[in-house]
Amino acid sequence: MTASRSDSMGCRGRATGGLPELKVTIESTIPDDRIDMFHLLYEEAFGPLRTKAVARQVLHRSEFREEMIDPRVAKHVARTATGDPIGVTTLTKHLETVPWISPEYFAARYPEHAARDAIYYAGFTLVAPSARQGAAFHAMIKSVVQVLVAERAAVGWDICSYNNTRFSFADSIRAVLDEQEANVEVAVEDSQTYYAARFTGDGATKGG
């Protein structure tokens, strides 16, 4: 049932923030009997965003399971020395598996990469709250970058403003790119502004 594999890139993180040494495996599917454990990790990391971001940031349980069993979506899993998972980053070149983006945009934006089937999207990155300041985030992004460099790929990702402000994810990604000395150009591709109106006073209840 499972098609998980350990990657041979040797992507490891040094022990920081009280964490033991980490290793990253790239797994095409997560076994059914392990999905609940991963979903708990996901909820710990993403659950608070239900009240922090206007756009829906949290996958429904059925959506999460589909991600975990879909072999088109690579799961870069950060594990402690004892094998316990503490982080997951998803990466795919099958952009149709990411329902909130437009694959056509990326094909038009990067035609040469599209011709080589070298356009990727990083769906989500999560780290257990207790490990967020440790090596897991760094190790997973390093693993992803190694894949992208090897394929001279184009890649997209998105970060909600709360995560960017609270945890400086964009700066953290940039730091990994700089450390890997990757020949890469990073640009903000798009933005969307959400509005809300609150009606007050008598005018809100009077009809015409």
Side-chain angles (χ1 to χ4, degrees):
M1 177 178 292
T2 178
S4 64
R5 60 185 174 85
S6 277
D7 192 78
S8 60
M9 293 178 180
C11 182
R12 292 179 177 270
R14 292 189 298 273
T16 60
L19 288 174
E21 185 178 2
L22 301 174
K23 67 176 181 178
V24 175
T25 58
I26 303 177
E27 306 179 22
S28 56
T29 61
I30 302 298
D32 278 340
D33 61 355
R34 306 286 283 177
I35 290 177
D36 283 347
M37 178 185 62
F38 277 87
H39 187 258
L40 178 61
L41 184 67
Y42 177 79
E43 277 290 332
E44 289 177 345
F46 273 74
L49 294 180
R50 289 189 176 94
T51 59
K52 301 296 184 181
V54 175
R56 183 167 70 94
Q57 303 290 321
V58 185
L59 295 173
H60 298 311
R61 190 182 187 92
S62 59
E63 294 172 325
F64 180 82
R65 182 179 184 279
E66 286 301 315
E67 288 267 308
M68 294 296 99
I69 66 175
D70 192 337
R72 297 172 299 174
V73 181
K75 277 68 75 172
H76 293 243
V77 182
R79 299 180 181 275
T80 66
T82 59
D84 296 321
I86 59 171
V88 182
T89 293
T90 62
L91 182 70
T92 185
K93 63 169 61 178
H94 299 274
L95 302 194
E96 69 275 11
T97 65
V98 187
W100 60 88
I101 66 169
S102 171
E104 293 81 4
Y105 172 87
F106 289 94
R109 178 73 171 81
Y110 303 104
E112 188 271 334
H113 293 81
R116 293 192 289 109
D117 192 25
I119 301 177
Y120 286 80
Y121 203 84
F124 65 78
T125 294
L126 69 91
V127 180
S130 61
R132 186 168 279 131
Q133 301 305 318
F137 183 91
H138 180 279
M140 291 186 300
I141 299 303
K142 179 179 177 181
S143 175
V144 166
V145 168
Q146 289 175 334
V147 171
L148 301 174
V149 168
E151 295 204 21
R152 294 185 296 111
V155 63
W157 68 91
D158 58 87
I159 307 171
C160 74
S161 61
Y162 173 79
N163 272 344
N164 224 12
T165 301
R166 178 68 177 82
F167 302 113
S168 301
F169 280 174
D171 290 341
S172 298
I173 292 171
R174 180 80 254 183
V176 178
L177 292 173
D178 291 342
E179 179 189 278
Q180 296 300 301
E181 299 181 352
N183 185 13
V184 61
E185 298 175 354
V186 180
V188 175
E189 287 292 316
D190 197 6
S191 64
Q192 186 158 322
T193 303
Y194 291 85
Y195 295 87
R198 181 170 67 93
F199 292 87
T200 61
D202 293 341
T205 57
K206 290 181 179 180

